[in-house]
Amino acid sequence: MEKVKELLQLDKEAEETVSRLTIHPHRVGYERSFYNDFGLRGIRVDKVEPGFVSCTFKVPPRLTDKNGNLATGAIANIVDEVGGSAIFVIGVPMKVSVDMSISFLGTAKLGDELEITSKALGERGGYAGTLVHIRNKATGELIAEGRHSLYGNESSKLLFGNQSSKL
Amino acid sequence: MEKVKELLQLDKEAEETVSRLTIHPHRVGYERSFYNDFGLRGIRVDKVEPGFVSCTFKVPPRLTDKNGNLATGAIANIVDEVGGSAIFVIGVPMKVSVDMSISFLGTAKLGDELEITSKALGERGGYAGTLVHIRNKATGELIAEGRHSLYGNESSKLLFGNQSSKL
Amino acid sequence: MEKVKELLQLDKEAEETVSRLTIHPHRVGYERSFYNDFGLRGIRVDKVEPGFVSCTFKVPPRLTDKNGNLATGAIANIVDEVGGSAIFVIGVPMKVSVDMSISFLGTAKLGDELEITSKALGERGGYAGTLVHIRNKATGELIAEGRHSLYGNESSKLLFGNQSSKL
Amino acid sequence: MEKVKELLQLDKEAEETVSRLTIHPHRVGYERSFYNDFGLRGIRVDKVEPGFVSCTFKVPPRLTDKNGNLATGAIANIVDEVGGSAIFVIGVPMKVSVDMSISFLGTAKLGDELEITSKALGERGGYAGTLVHIRNKATGELIAEGRHSLYGNESSKLLFGNQSSKL
């Protein structure tokens, strides 16, 4: 039990580092949260087309795990946020994440530049799927492939046009 | 494009908040990273049995999204870390996450107390599966159910005994 | 290319075996299809509670793969059908499968008796999640764990009562 | 309980249809099984490149569900088999499926011609990932997107060369 506790719980010093973080309260429903900033700060949106988003992101120190690689949780956050942005339509309320599935096929080191693409796959009723690829920009190596499904009451007709599927 | 940029990229003020974060460099390979601290600080390990871990966690401000709910990425991080801890065995090198899949079935608000359980499902060769449930401790509502697969060169015989499957 | 063709395409004799199958046309929308019969014939429903179904199934020759194990596709079919049955409510139109995710943790041999349980996890709007476990009934070994998400226009209030989550 | 029994269990007549199926015993370990024939008969391999396979398949009556659509289980079987074929290398023992995850984004009707592509994503040690897309050939609509992870003791160096990731 001690070993697992050590693995999951933090020591005093570490706790203090995080506790010194002053999280500015954000207005709920407003576009930003500290968590959002923490996970995406530095990301650059390179290209936006209907149902497609491409970004560049350099692995920062704050998102590395104990081995110095981009943390699994940080990858999941990217799949969530960049995936969701591909189905974002002006005036349509954001959908809620309902399913996420990721394969981790490689590792990204501190400072590696990543290319992140997200593609809307299609939708059924208020349910929409997106596909996210995270690659090492220099080598082309696939770091992770994620699929992310969202659900909302309104469908985003603008994005899928004739390709949208019917229930 | 501007809308998506706004969605993913941060404004000046927000950027500064995150940039003021001083990330203490950690020795690579050492158990802790800032990311680990950031995602798990405050977690309490309640119970550890072979192949089973149970924890309590109160949703902190730093992990809430723009709607004031525990962020999807933070849930994924919990599934990753607490899931991995269920197959942790003294002396066996930690495995690497290869697949993660999560259903988001509810929401957890700031201050909600969560019960997080992780169960080792079994293994095949160096491949192991774990199942993580995140519940609202007061109401019992299931917030998320995640499955997390890890891969390593050595199998953790101690955990699965006769139940381990053969390739 | 020849090797992959051989792997996926069938030889003459095998083609004839399958082509001799006379598939009785079924009325579309009616509860049964030949595929349904093919994948589930012999299953015994042991227990039904709100949001929970338990069945017994003996691995038949028709569902074994080239190694004599219950085929991956047959496992997926069980996860789909038995998972879906756990959210079945009289008078509510069946939902459509939108996401399925399975970990294959063991193997089931021809003649092995399986215990299959399906549990409704919860729902958000018209979206519902179920969890399916397939175990060797004699040894308790977990063969597969699957999650299956369905979507429909009407929610099944009867099943989840106070535990249902809100969007 | 009766309703769920009706849903999963078969009536007498249906049982007889399936029981009249004479499954020719196959030598275990041999490339073919009846299940394989049942799920893939009629598939045409159009293109094979290292780590890539493309096929055509017309939805046959035997694989349709009660609504006349290609059954969810049949889609899963295609993701399994065609996905696996993309990492097939002459002389390397076939890997075992360990994880599969599918989004069902559309439906395919009886007689629809499908384009099925499978791409090897990469590998870590003996673990490999593949991505499968199933599209309506005429309309381009995406029916399903699946990810399929396999595990084996030997890695398929031939396929990934310098892009393969290290643990």
Side-chain angles (χ1 to χ4, degrees), chain C residues 6 9-10 14-15 21 26 29-30 32 35 37-38 41 44-45 65-66 73-74 80 98-100 102-104, chain D residues 6 9-10 15 21 26 29-32 35 37-38 41 44-45 65-66 73-74 98-100 102-104:
Chain C
E6 208 176 275
Q9 295 180 171
L10 312 177
E15 294 238 5
L21 268 178
H26 71 283
Y30 182 66
R32 299 272 171 271
Y35 189 82
D37 295 351
F38 183 76
R41 181 186 171 247
R44 198 182 69 216
V45 179
D65 65 14
K66 65 183 163 56
D80 180 49
V98 284
D99 263 298
M100 190 161 60
I102 306 173
S103 275
F104 303 95
Chain D
E6 208 176 277
Q9 295 180 171
L10 312 176
E15 295 237 3
L21 268 178
H26 71 284
Y30 181 68
E31 218 53 83
R32 298 273 171 270
Y35 189 82
D37 295 351
F38 184 75
R41 180 185 172 249
R44 195 182 72 215
V45 180
D65 65 14
K66 62 182 165 54
V98 286
D99 263 297
M100 191 160 60
I102 306 173
S103 276
F104 303 95

Tab-separated table of all heavy atoms in Angstrom, chain C residues 6 9-10 14-15 21 26 29-30 32 35 37-38 41 44-45 65-66 73-74 80 98-100 102-104, chain D residues 6 9-10 15 21 26 29-32 35 37-38 41 44-45 65-66 73-74 98-100 102-104:
chain	number	residue	atom	x	y	z
C	6	GLU	N	-4.912	-14.152	-49.815
C	6	GLU	CA	-5.189	-15.486	-49.280
C	6	GLU	C	-5.798	-15.361	-47.876
C	6	GLU	O	-6.685	-16.114	-47.496
C	6	GLU	CB	-3.862	-16.234	-49.192
C	6	GLU	CG	-3.953	-17.735	-49.315
C	6	GLU	CD	-2.553	-18.323	-49.298
C	6	GLU	OE1	-1.894	-18.392	-50.362
C	6	GLU	OE2	-2.107	-18.681	-48.197
C	9	GLN	N	-9.410	-13.327	-48.648
C	9	GLN	CA	-10.354	-13.913	-49.585
C	9	GLN	C	-10.426	-15.418	-49.396
C	9	GLN	O	-9.542	-16.028	-48.813
C	9	GLN	CB	-9.971	-13.531	-51.014
C	9	GLN	CG	-10.110	-12.028	-51.221
C	9	GLN	CD	-9.736	-11.569	-52.627
C	9	GLN	OE1	-9.952	-10.442	-52.995
C	9	GLN	NE2	-9.150	-12.451	-53.411
C	10	LEU	N	-11.458	-16.009	-49.891
C	10	LEU	CA	-11.701	-17.414	-49.604
C	10	LEU	C	-11.367	-18.258	-50.820
C	10	LEU	O	-11.399	-17.798	-51.951
C	10	LEU	CB	-13.163	-17.580	-49.238
C	10	LEU	CG	-13.645	-16.551	-48.204
C	10	LEU	CD1	-15.111	-16.720	-47.952
C	10	LEU	CD2	-12.847	-16.681	-46.929
C	14	ALA	N	-14.501	-23.062	-49.831
C	14	ALA	CA	-15.052	-22.318	-48.703
C	14	ALA	C	-16.189	-21.406	-49.182
C	14	ALA	O	-17.232	-21.312	-48.542
C	14	ALA	CB	-13.961	-21.485	-48.052
C	15	GLU	N	-15.966	-20.790	-50.317
C	15	GLU	CA	-16.996	-19.901	-50.870
C	15	GLU	C	-18.293	-20.664	-51.062
C	15	GLU	O	-19.386	-20.160	-50.808
C	15	GLU	CB	-16.532	-19.325	-52.217
C	15	GLU	CG	-15.348	-18.405	-52.094
C	15	GLU	CD	-15.625	-17.012	-52.646
C	15	GLU	OE1	-16.762	-16.747	-53.045
C	15	GLU	OE2	-14.686	-16.205	-52.648
C	21	LEU	N	-25.544	-21.473	-47.962
C	21	LEU	CA	-26.407	-20.949	-46.897
C	21	LEU	C	-27.629	-20.294	-47.521
C	21	LEU	O	-27.506	-19.334	-48.270
C	21	LEU	CB	-25.669	-19.839	-46.127
C	21	LEU	CG	-24.879	-20.214	-44.901
C	21	LEU	CD1	-24.213	-18.962	-44.353
C	21	LEU	CD2	-25.786	-20.833	-43.859
C	26	HIS	N	-35.951	-11.826	-44.125
C	26	HIS	CA	-36.735	-11.457	-42.942
C	26	HIS	C	-37.356	-10.093	-43.203
C	26	HIS	O	-36.826	-9.273	-43.953
C	26	HIS	CB	-35.877	-11.461	-41.678
C	26	HIS	CG	-34.902	-10.348	-41.603
C	26	HIS	ND1	-33.730	-10.332	-42.319
C	26	HIS	CD2	-34.917	-9.184	-40.916
C	26	HIS	CE1	-33.072	-9.225	-42.063
C	26	HIS	NE2	-33.753	-8.498	-41.229
C	29	GLY	N	-37.137	-4.631	-39.831
C	29	GLY	CA	-37.771	-4.014	-38.665
C	29	GLY	C	-38.312	-5.055	-37.701
C	29	GLY	O	-38.566	-4.779	-36.534
C	30	TYR	N	-38.445	-6.271	-38.182
C	30	TYR	CA	-38.880	-7.365	-37.324
C	30	TYR	C	-37.712	-7.706	-36.401
C	30	TYR	O	-36.567	-7.433	-36.705
C	30	TYR	CB	-39.262	-8.560	-38.213
C	30	TYR	CG	-39.772	-9.745	-37.467
C	30	TYR	CD1	-40.977	-9.701	-36.777
C	30	TYR	CD2	-39.038	-10.929	-37.452
C	30	TYR	CE1	-41.446	-10.811	-36.089
C	30	TYR	CE2	-39.496	-12.040	-36.770
C	30	TYR	CZ	-40.698	-11.977	-36.091
C	30	TYR	OH	-41.147	-13.081	-35.399
C	32	ARG	N	-35.944	-10.243	-35.561
C	32	ARG	CA	-34.875	-11.195	-35.893
C	32	ARG	C	-34.208	-10.925	-37.232
C	32	ARG	O	-34.839	-10.448	-38.157
C	32	ARG	CB	-35.468	-12.617	-36.008
C	32	ARG	CG	-36.105	-13.147	-34.783
C	32	ARG	CD	-35.079	-13.850	-33.912
C	32	ARG	NE	-35.696	-14.154	-32.637
C	32	ARG	CZ	-35.684	-13.312	-31.608
C	32	ARG	NH1	-35.068	-12.158	-31.696
C	32	ARG	NH2	-36.278	-13.625	-30.492
C	35	TYR	N	-28.418	-12.898	-39.175
C	35	TYR	CA	-27.162	-12.569	-38.500
C	35	TYR	C	-27.300	-12.682	-36.986
C	35	TYR	O	-26.427	-13.203	-36.289
C	35	TYR	CB	-26.704	-11.153	-38.870
C	35	TYR	CG	-25.310	-10.859	-38.372
C	35	TYR	CD1	-24.216	-11.293	-39.103
C	35	TYR	CD2	-25.096	-10.205	-37.175
C	35	TYR	CE1	-22.930	-11.065	-38.642
C	35	TYR	CE2	-23.810	-9.971	-36.711
C	35	TYR	CZ	-22.733	-10.406	-37.447
C	35	TYR	OH	-21.468	-10.199	-36.989
C	37	ASP	N	-29.460	-14.552	-35.401
C	37	ASP	CA	-29.537	-15.991	-35.080
C	37	ASP	C	-28.148	-16.618	-35.099
C	37	ASP	O	-27.782	-17.413	-34.236
C	37	ASP	CB	-30.387	-16.733	-36.124
C	37	ASP	CG	-31.839	-16.277	-36.108
C	37	ASP	OD1	-32.216	-15.521	-35.198
C	37	ASP	OD2	-32.586	-16.665	-37.011
C	38	PHE	N	-27.391	-16.260	-36.119
C	38	PHE	CA	-26.078	-16.866	-36.313
C	38	PHE	C	-25.161	-16.571	-35.121
C	38	PHE	O	-24.421	-17.428	-34.664
C	38	PHE	CB	-25.448	-16.330	-37.603
C	38	PHE	CG	-24.133	-16.964	-37.916
C	38	PHE	CD1	-24.069	-18.252	-38.422
C	38	PHE	CD2	-22.943	-16.276	-37.699
C	38	PHE	CE1	-22.845	-18.863	-38.700
C	38	PHE	CE2	-21.715	-16.874	-37.979
C	38	PHE	CZ	-21.670	-18.171	-38.478
C	41	ARG	N	-27.503	-17.823	-31.362
C	41	ARG	CA	-28.246	-19.064	-31.139
C	41	ARG	C	-27.611	-19.891	-30.011
C	41	ARG	O	-26.421	-20.157	-30.017
C	41	ARG	CB	-28.279	-19.903	-32.408
C	41	ARG	CG	-29.072	-21.172	-32.183
C	41	ARG	CD	-29.037	-22.119	-33.350
C	41	ARG	NE	-29.639	-23.370	-32.932
C	41	ARG	CZ	-28.970	-24.506	-32.820
C	41	ARG	NH1	-27.700	-24.566	-33.123
C	41	ARG	NH2	-29.593	-25.583	-32.393
C	44	ARG	N	-28.611	-18.342	-23.361
C	44	ARG	CA	-29.677	-18.515	-22.372
C	44	ARG	C	-29.695	-17.289	-21.464
C	44	ARG	O	-28.677	-16.937	-20.862
C	44	ARG	CB	-29.380	-19.761	-21.525
C	44	ARG	CG	-30.588	-20.295	-20.772
C	44	ARG	CD	-30.210	-21.486	-19.930
C	44	ARG	NE	-29.345	-21.093	-18.813
C	44	ARG	CZ	-28.349	-21.830	-18.331
C	44	ARG	NH1	-28.046	-22.994	-18.882
C	44	ARG	NH2	-27.631	-21.391	-17.307
C	45	VAL	N	-30.843	-16.636	-21.380
C	45	VAL	CA	-30.959	-15.475	-20.495
C	45	VAL	C	-31.262	-15.990	-19.085
C	45	VAL	O	-32.274	-16.643	-18.856
C	45	VAL	CB	-32.081	-14.529	-20.966
C	45	VAL	CG1	-32.207	-13.339	-20.026
C	45	VAL	CG2	-31.811	-14.056	-22.391
C	65	ASP	N	-12.580	-19.229	-34.418
C	65	ASP	CA	-11.656	-18.760	-35.453
C	65	ASP	C	-10.675	-19.875	-35.829
C	65	ASP	O	-10.810	-21.019	-35.399
C	65	ASP	CB	-10.925	-17.495	-34.969
C	65	ASP	CG	-10.028	-17.773	-33.767
C	65	ASP	OD1	-9.745	-18.962	-33.456
C	65	ASP	OD2	-9.606	-16.808	-33.117
C	66	LYS	N	-9.691	-19.531	-36.627
C	66	LYS	CA	-8.765	-20.551	-37.114
C	66	LYS	C	-7.966	-21.246	-36.008
C	66	LYS	O	-7.445	-22.333	-36.209
C	66	LYS	CB	-7.829	-19.970	-38.165
C	66	LYS	CG	-6.909	-18.900	-37.634
C	66	LYS	CD	-6.044	-18.317	-38.757
C	66	LYS	CE	-5.443	-16.991	-38.314
C	66	LYS	NZ	-4.641	-17.048	-37.067
C	73	GLY	N	-14.681	-11.209	-33.744
C	73	GLY	CA	-15.914	-10.632	-34.276
C	73	GLY	C	-17.144	-11.143	-33.545
C	73	GLY	O	-18.110	-10.405	-33.328
C	74	ALA	N	-17.115	-12.405	-33.140
C	74	ALA	CA	-18.246	-12.983	-32.410
C	74	ALA	C	-18.342	-12.366	-31.012
C	74	ALA	O	-19.443	-12.139	-30.495
C	74	ALA	CB	-18.079	-14.498	-32.312
C	80	ASP	N	-22.231	-6.156	-28.471
C	80	ASP	CA	-23.252	-5.305	-29.087
C	80	ASP	C	-24.659	-5.726	-28.657
C	80	ASP	O	-25.430	-4.910	-28.148
C	80	ASP	CB	-23.117	-5.393	-30.614
C	80	ASP	CG	-24.150	-4.544	-31.333
C	80	ASP	OD1	-24.293	-3.369	-30.959
C	80	ASP	OD2	-24.808	-5.046	-32.250
C	98	VAL	N	-23.423	3.562	-31.322
C	98	VAL	CA	-22.571	4.616	-31.861
C	98	VAL	C	-21.090	4.419	-31.560
C	98	VAL	O	-20.238	4.827	-32.332
C	98	VAL	CB	-23.023	6.026	-31.416
C	98	VAL	CG1	-24.256	6.461	-32.203
C	98	VAL	CG2	-23.303	6.106	-29.933
C	99	ASP	N	-20.789	3.790	-30.444
C	99	ASP	CA	-19.391	3.557	-30.077
C	99	ASP	C	-19.273	2.206	-29.403
C	99	ASP	O	-20.117	1.845	-28.580
C	99	ASP	CB	-18.909	4.631	-29.078
C	99	ASP	CG	-18.155	5.766	-29.736
C	99	ASP	OD1	-17.107	5.490	-30.322
C	99	ASP	OD2	-18.635	6.903	-29.660
C	100	MET	N	-18.211	1.495	-29.720
C	100	MET	CA	-17.968	0.223	-29.040
C	100	MET	C	-16.474	0.101	-28.814
C	100	MET	O	-15.681	0.450	-29.684
C	100	MET	CB	-18.465	-0.933	-29.889
C	100	MET	CG	-18.470	-2.243	-29.135
C	100	MET	SD	-19.553	-3.483	-29.907
C	100	MET	CE	-18.794	-3.602	-31.506
C	102	ILE	N	-13.595	-2.629	-26.938
C	102	ILE	CA	-13.445	-3.938	-26.297
C	102	ILE	C	-11.985	-4.234	-25.993
C	102	ILE	O	-11.116	-3.971	-26.829
C	102	ILE	CB	-13.976	-5.063	-27.219
C	102	ILE	CG1	-15.414	-4.768	-27.654
C	102	ILE	CG2	-13.900	-6.419	-26.531
C	102	ILE	CD1	-15.937	-5.739	-28.704
C	103	SER	N	-11.716	-4.767	-24.801
C	103	SER	CA	-10.401	-5.337	-24.515
C	103	SER	C	-10.532	-6.854	-24.502
C	103	SER	O	-11.421	-7.391	-23.847
C	103	SER	CB	-9.879	-4.876	-23.142
C	103	SER	OG	-9.233	-3.645	-23.238
C	104	PHE	N	-9.656	-7.501	-25.224
C	104	PHE	CA	-9.667	-8.961	-25.287
C	104	PHE	C	-8.588	-9.478	-24.352
C	104	PHE	O	-7.412	-9.364	-24.635
C	104	PHE	CB	-9.413	-9.420	-26.723
C	104	PHE	CG	-10.404	-8.857	-27.698
C	104	PHE	CD1	-10.111	-7.701	-28.413
C	104	PHE	CD2	-11.636	-9.457	-27.881
C	104	PHE	CE1	-11.032	-7.162	-29.300
C	104	PHE	CE2	-12.571	-8.917	-28.768
C	104	PHE	CZ	-12.266	-7.765	-29.477
D	6	GLU	N	-36.888	-12.671	-25.434
D	6	GLU	CA	-37.335	-12.670	-26.817
D	6	GLU	C	-36.293	-11.980	-27.703
D	6	GLU	O	-36.040	-12.385	-28.829
D	6	GLU	CB	-38.652	-11.894	-26.876
D	6	GLU	CG	-39.596	-12.292	-27.978
D	6	GLU	CD	-40.880	-11.505	-27.846
D	6	GLU	OE1	-41.773	-11.905	-27.054
D	6	GLU	OE2	-40.978	-10.462	-28.518
D	9	GLN	N	-32.913	-14.480	-27.237
D	9	GLN	CA	-33.049	-15.892	-27.574
D	9	GLN	C	-33.899	-16.051	-28.837
D	9	GLN	O	-34.642	-15.165	-29.219
D	9	GLN	CB	-33.642	-16.664	-26.394
D	9	GLN	CG	-32.687	-16.658	-25.207
D	9	GLN	CD	-33.197	-17.409	-23.992
D	9	GLN	OE1	-32.468	-17.616	-23.042
D	9	GLN	NE2	-34.460	-17.796	-24.017
D	10	LEU	N	-33.782	-17.190	-29.449
D	10	LEU	CA	-34.418	-17.370	-30.745
D	10	LEU	C	-35.661	-18.220	-30.600
D	10	LEU	O	-35.803	-19.018	-29.679
D	10	LEU	CB	-33.423	-18.047	-31.668
D	10	LEU	CG	-32.044	-17.399	-31.636
D	10	LEU	CD1	-31.094	-18.163	-32.496
D	10	LEU	CD2	-32.145	-15.944	-32.050
D	15	GLU	N	-34.050	-21.164	-34.682
D	15	GLU	CA	-33.022	-22.077	-34.159
D	15	GLU	C	-32.734	-23.185	-35.164
D	15	GLU	O	-31.600	-23.574	-35.386
D	15	GLU	CB	-33.498	-22.706	-32.837
D	15	GLU	CG	-33.662	-21.715	-31.714
D	15	GLU	CD	-32.824	-22.064	-30.492
D	15	GLU	OE1	-32.060	-23.049	-30.533
D	15	GLU	OE2	-32.930	-21.344	-29.491
D	21	LEU	N	-27.236	-25.517	-40.341
D	21	LEU	CA	-25.895	-25.166	-40.835
D	21	LEU	C	-24.938	-26.301	-40.523
D	21	LEU	O	-24.738	-26.640	-39.353
D	21	LEU	CB	-25.367	-23.937	-40.091
D	21	LEU	CG	-25.611	-22.566	-40.665
D	21	LEU	CD1	-25.029	-21.528	-39.711
D	21	LEU	CD2	-24.938	-22.454	-42.023
D	26	HIS	N	-12.696	-27.504	-39.210
D	26	HIS	CA	-11.460	-27.062	-39.853
D	26	HIS	C	-10.294	-27.417	-38.955
D	26	HIS	O	-10.424	-27.513	-37.743
D	26	HIS	CB	-11.500	-25.567	-40.157
D	26	HIS	CG	-11.408	-24.703	-38.935
D	26	HIS	ND1	-12.460	-24.513	-38.082
D	26	HIS	CD2	-10.381	-23.995	-38.416
D	26	HIS	CE1	-12.090	-23.717	-37.105
D	26	HIS	NE2	-10.838	-23.393	-37.271
D	29	GLY	N	-5.554	-23.863	-36.459
D	29	GLY	CA	-4.267	-23.284	-36.849
D	29	GLY	C	-4.177	-23.064	-38.343
D	29	GLY	O	-3.364	-22.302	-38.838
D	30	TYR	N	-5.051	-23.733	-39.074
D	30	TYR	CA	-5.125	-23.534	-40.521
D	30	TYR	C	-5.729	-22.149	-40.761
D	30	TYR	O	-6.451	-21.623	-39.928
D	30	TYR	CB	-5.993	-24.644	-41.130
D	30	TYR	CG	-6.123	-24.574	-42.620
D	30	TYR	CD1	-5.028	-24.812	-43.459
D	30	TYR	CD2	-7.360	-24.282	-43.204
D	30	TYR	CE1	-5.162	-24.736	-44.834
D	30	TYR	CE2	-7.503	-24.209	-44.580
D	30	TYR	CZ	-6.399	-24.438	-45.401
D	30	TYR	OH	-6.539	-24.367	-46.760
D	31	GLU	N	-5.455	-21.573	-41.913
D	31	GLU	CA	-5.817	-20.172	-42.111
D	31	GLU	C	-7.320	-19.866	-42.076
D	31	GLU	O	-7.738	-18.775	-41.763
D	31	GLU	CB	-5.201	-19.672	-43.414
D	31	GLU	CG	-4.683	-18.244	-43.339
D	31	GLU	CD	-3.719	-18.033	-42.181
D	31	GLU	OE1	-2.528	-18.339	-42.304
D	31	GLU	OE2	-4.182	-17.577	-41.133
D	32	ARG	N	-8.143	-20.825	-42.404
D	32	ARG	CA	-9.570	-20.567	-42.547
D	32	ARG	C	-10.405	-21.110	-41.392
D	32	ARG	O	-10.083	-22.115	-40.800
D	32	ARG	CB	-10.113	-21.283	-43.794
D	32	ARG	CG	-9.512	-20.842	-45.070
D	32	ARG	CD	-10.280	-19.632	-45.600
D	32	ARG	NE	-9.552	-19.095	-46.738
D	32	ARG	CZ	-8.621	-18.166	-46.625
D	32	ARG	NH1	-8.338	-17.648	-45.466
D	32	ARG	NH2	-7.974	-17.731	-47.677
D	35	TYR	N	-16.229	-19.222	-39.528
D	35	TYR	CA	-16.574	-17.870	-39.113
D	35	TYR	C	-15.943	-16.832	-40.041
D	35	TYR	O	-16.565	-15.851	-40.432
D	35	TYR	CB	-16.137	-17.621	-37.670
D	35	TYR	CG	-16.677	-16.319	-37.138
D	35	TYR	CD1	-17.968	-16.244	-36.659
D	35	TYR	CD2	-15.916	-15.156	-37.155
D	35	TYR	CE1	-18.496	-15.049	-36.211
D	35	TYR	CE2	-16.429	-13.963	-36.707
D	35	TYR	CZ	-17.719	-13.911	-36.232
D	35	TYR	OH	-18.247	-12.726	-35.796
D	37	ASP	N	-15.053	-17.326	-43.152
D	37	ASP	CA	-15.776	-17.382	-44.430
D	37	ASP	C	-17.094	-16.621	-44.324
D	37	ASP	O	-17.473	-15.878	-45.226
D	37	ASP	CB	-16.111	-18.839	-44.796
D	37	ASP	CG	-14.862	-19.659	-45.060
D	37	ASP	OD1	-13.766	-19.080	-45.125
D	37	ASP	OD2	-14.986	-20.890	-45.165
D	38	PHE	N	-17.783	-16.845	-43.229
D	38	PHE	CA	-19.104	-16.258	-43.053
D	38	PHE	C	-19.034	-14.726	-43.072
D	38	PHE	O	-19.885	-14.062	-43.654
D	38	PHE	CB	-19.708	-16.743	-41.735
D	38	PHE	CG	-21.105	-16.253	-41.515
D	38	PHE	CD1	-22.168	-16.807	-42.208
D	38	PHE	CD2	-21.364	-15.227	-40.616
D	38	PHE	CE1	-23.467	-16.345	-42.029
D	38	PHE	CE2	-22.653	-14.751	-40.428
D	38	PHE	CZ	-23.710	-15.314	-41.137
D	41	ARG	N	-16.745	-13.598	-46.882
D	41	ARG	CA	-16.946	-14.106	-48.241
D	41	ARG	C	-17.427	-12.997	-49.182
D	41	ARG	O	-18.379	-12.292	-48.885
D	41	ARG	CB	-17.969	-15.240	-48.245
D	41	ARG	CG	-18.176	-15.771	-49.648
D	41	ARG	CD	-19.255	-16.803	-49.750
D	41	ARG	NE	-19.473	-17.068	-51.169
D	41	ARG	CZ	-20.566	-16.723	-51.827
D	41	ARG	NH1	-21.554	-16.151	-51.214
D	41	ARG	NH2	-20.654	-16.982	-53.121
D	44	ARG	N	-13.080	-8.327	-51.821
D	44	ARG	CA	-12.082	-8.287	-52.888
D	44	ARG	C	-10.928	-7.400	-52.436
D	44	ARG	O	-11.138	-6.237	-52.070
D	44	ARG	CB	-12.731	-7.701	-54.141
D	44	ARG	CG	-11.930	-7.928	-55.425
D	44	ARG	CD	-12.610	-7.271	-56.606
D	44	ARG	NE	-12.483	-5.823	-56.515
D	44	ARG	CZ	-13.415	-4.957	-56.916
D	44	ARG	NH1	-14.568	-5.392	-57.381
D	44	ARG	NH2	-13.204	-3.654	-56.830
D	45	VAL	N	-9.728	-7.959	-52.446
D	45	VAL	CA	-8.553	-7.162	-52.081
D	45	VAL	C	-8.110	-6.385	-53.316
D	45	VAL	O	-7.753	-6.966	-54.336
D	45	VAL	CB	-7.407	-8.065	-51.571
D	45	VAL	CG1	-6.199	-7.221	-51.201
D	45	VAL	CG2	-7.868	-8.896	-50.382
D	65	ASP	N	-28.724	-6.726	-40.309
D	65	ASP	CA	-29.453	-6.832	-39.046
D	65	ASP	C	-30.953	-6.686	-39.284
D	65	ASP	O	-31.404	-6.641	-40.429
D	65	ASP	CB	-28.941	-5.787	-38.035
D	65	ASP	CG	-29.214	-4.358	-38.480
D	65	ASP	OD1	-30.006	-4.138	-39.416
D	65	ASP	OD2	-28.622	-3.438	-37.887
D	66	LYS	N	-31.698	-6.596	-38.204
D	66	LYS	CA	-33.154	-6.575	-38.342
D	66	LYS	C	-33.679	-5.352	-39.105
D	66	LYS	O	-34.788	-5.370	-39.614
D	66	LYS	CB	-33.840	-6.679	-36.975
D	66	LYS	CG	-33.535	-5.533	-36.048
D	66	LYS	CD	-34.208	-5.741	-34.714
D	66	LYS	CE	-33.621	-4.806	-33.677
D	66	LYS	NZ	-33.633	-3.357	-34.044
D	73	GLY	N	-22.001	-6.175	-35.439
D	73	GLY	CA	-21.035	-7.262	-35.229
D	73	GLY	C	-20.253	-7.562	-36.493
D	73	GLY	O	-19.059	-7.880	-36.448
D	74	ALA	N	-20.909	-7.459	-37.642
D	74	ALA	CA	-20.232	-7.721	-38.916
D	74	ALA	C	-19.206	-6.626	-39.207
D	74	ALA	O	-18.122	-6.890	-39.741
D	74	ALA	CB	-21.253	-7.804	-40.045
D	98	VAL	N	-5.920	-7.316	-29.089
D	98	VAL	CA	-6.043	-7.000	-27.671
D	98	VAL	C	-7.017	-5.864	-27.378
D	98	VAL	O	-7.637	-5.836	-26.312
D	98	VAL	CB	-4.675	-6.720	-27.005
D	98	VAL	CG1	-3.904	-8.024	-26.802
D	98	VAL	CG2	-3.842	-5.739	-27.819
D	99	ASP	N	-7.160	-4.943	-28.304
D	99	ASP	CA	-8.076	-3.826	-28.085
D	99	ASP	C	-8.737	-3.468	-29.401
D	99	ASP	O	-8.083	-3.440	-30.442
D	99	ASP	CB	-7.316	-2.576	-27.590
D	99	ASP	CG	-7.359	-2.423	-26.094
D	99	ASP	OD1	-8.461	-2.258	-25.567
D	99	ASP	OD2	-6.295	-2.490	-25.468
D	100	MET	N	-10.006	-3.155	-29.346
D	100	MET	CA	-10.687	-2.722	-30.552
D	100	MET	C	-11.661	-1.629	-30.153
D	100	MET	O	-12.307	-1.714	-29.119
D	100	MET	CB	-11.441	-3.883	-31.174
D	100	MET	CG	-11.954	-3.554	-32.557
D	100	MET	SD	-12.321	-5.030	-33.544
D	100	MET	CE	-13.564	-5.780	-32.517
D	102	ILE	N	-14.510	1.153	-32.008
D	102	ILE	CA	-15.187	1.499	-33.260
D	102	ILE	C	-16.214	2.607	-33.035
D	102	ILE	O	-16.950	2.576	-32.049
D	102	ILE	CB	-15.922	0.268	-33.838
D	102	ILE	CG1	-14.963	-0.916	-33.984
D	102	ILE	CG2	-16.554	0.597	-35.197
D	102	ILE	CD1	-15.652	-2.211	-34.376
D	103	SER	N	-16.241	3.579	-33.933
D	103	SER	CA	-17.346	4.531	-33.982
D	103	SER	C	-18.207	4.195	-35.185
D	103	SER	O	-17.688	4.023	-36.286
D	103	SER	CB	-16.841	5.970	-34.130
D	103	SER	OG	-16.499	6.512	-32.883
D	104	PHE	N	-19.507	4.108	-34.946
D	104	PHE	CA	-20.439	3.794	-36.026
D	104	PHE	C	-21.091	5.105	-36.455
D	104	PHE	O	-21.904	5.654	-35.716
D	104	PHE	CB	-21.481	2.797	-35.533
D	104	PHE	CG	-20.872	1.530	-35.007
D	104	PHE	CD1	-20.626	1.368	-33.652
D	104	PHE	CD2	-20.495	0.515	-35.871
D	104	PHE	CE1	-20.034	0.210	-33.162
D	104	PHE	CE2	-19.909	-0.645	-35.393
D	104	PHE	CZ	-19.676	-0.801	-34.035
